[in-house]
Amino acid sequence: MKLNLNIEPLESWIKKGSDPLLIAGPCSAETEEQLVATAHLLAKTGKVSALRAGIWKPRTRPGEFEGIGSIGLKWLQRAKAETGLPTAIEVANAKHVEEALEAGVDILWVGARSTVNPFTVQEIADALKGVDVPVMVKNPVNPDLSLWIGALERINNAGITKLAAIHRGFSSHEKSAFRNEPMWDLAISLKTHAPELPIINDPSHITGNRDLIGYVAQKALDLDMQGLMIESHIDPTVAWTDAKQQVTPAALVEIIEHLALRKPEVRNSEMKDKLAELRTQIDKIDDLVIQKMAERMKIVEQIGTYKKENNVTILQVNRWDEILRKGINYGSALKLSPEFTEKLLELIHAESIRKQTEIMNKPEADLEKLTHA
Ligand code: PEP
Ligand code: MN
């Protein structure tokens, strides 16, 4: 399902410092000196398109540093006047929006803890009515694509057309090397719903660890995301928030220079031909996979009818364990990762159960039609 968003291209509201598009700056504005000095170092790299800084910080626990507040807007004005960098901050309510606009902040973003709440997003959207300012919407804390889409729609419905999404990863119970699981498939899914919507990756909040930023940033670029937002602090070791994931402006340059930029469009016709040929092969295989799935589901229907006639339960755990075990072993022998095979089989199994449930609950007359069709 394509979304009906009205969007201006990224280039209409942000000037690329270099490739890739980079928004950088400290997690939080802490002091005037820290912010302005960081801004100068970032501007000097020639790679940064906008200066980010948190002025109001949504903190999980009370008592943590909750942002310097409105005074920081003045520091941002100074940083911009001295470096020429446009500024970007998080807004989480109507008052933030008003103050930010008043202070001439160039780009606003909605944070992950706000995107989860439609009331908050609507309040922000209402405050933005009639204003022409770029807005970026971070994904919600929880892996819920609809909430992310809903927030983008609310802001867009308020008339904001300079719109982008920020992919900052999702909370998860799974133990992992990351602070927030990237769940790349959700970002890809957003892209398929709204191909014209720019997505900016935030490897700082995904990794929570400066050593992994380059790795995640590369992956984001390989998936054709349009830019990066990276936290950078003049001295991360003493940062008041997110110290482990911030990098010095010099380290930021290192990270950016090590990224490989792969062009989405193909460069020469020989490459184009080769790609087209390989894609044809893939399309054929996808057709076959779908065809086989349809065949499988027909058999599942027969099984469903049989189980209904003989009063047998739909789910037979032993049988399912057996399918899973055999499938994963077979997949491994063919170099498919066990995680992939398991996910695939689970998806197929869930659809089979759904079909059988449908049959079990169908009145007899309909069933006749179904089995003799
Ligand atoms: C931030 O950008 O500093 C921030 C609070 O991010 P998020 O909303 O992604 O947690
Ligand atoms: Mn942060």
Side-chain angles (χ1 to χ4, degrees), residues 26-28 52-54 56-59 90 109-114 138-139 141 166 168-169 179-180 202 205 229 231 241-242 245:
C27 178
S28 301
R52 64 145 283 152
W56 299 285
K57 302 299 297 179
R59 305 318 306 259
E90 172 176 354
W109 85 78
V110 178
R113 290 161 195 77
S114 299
K138 286 202 172 197
N139 67 254
V141 174
I166 301 180
R168 51 77 80 194
R179 176 178 173 191
N180 291 298
D202 174 348
H205 289 91
M229 185 196 248
E231 287 187 338
T241 55
D242 290 353
Q245 70 194 35

Side-chain angles (χ1 to χ4, degrees), residues 56 70 73 91-101 123-124 127:
W56 299 285
S70 313
L73 294 169
V91 289
N93 59 38
K95 187 155 183 299
H96 294 165
V97 174
E98 278 154 32
E99 284 193 44
L101 294 173
E123 176 182 330
I124 295 169

Side-chain angles (χ1 to χ4, degrees), residues 142-188:
N142 55 325
D144 184 335
L145 182 62
S146 299
L147 273 176
W148 199 4
I149 288 176
L152 287 156
E153 286 175 328
R154 283 177 200 277
I155 304 289
N156 197 225
N157 288 345
I160 299 293
T161 49
K162 296 178 172 121
L163 193 62
I166 301 180
H167 172 227
R168 51 77 80 194
F170 303 86
S171 277
S172 157
H173 271 305
E174 305 266 316
K175 251 192 131 33
S176 123
F178 296 133
R179 176 178 173 191
N180 291 298
E181 276 305 302
M183 303 189 192
W184 297 101
D185 48 328
L186 283 179
I188 291 168

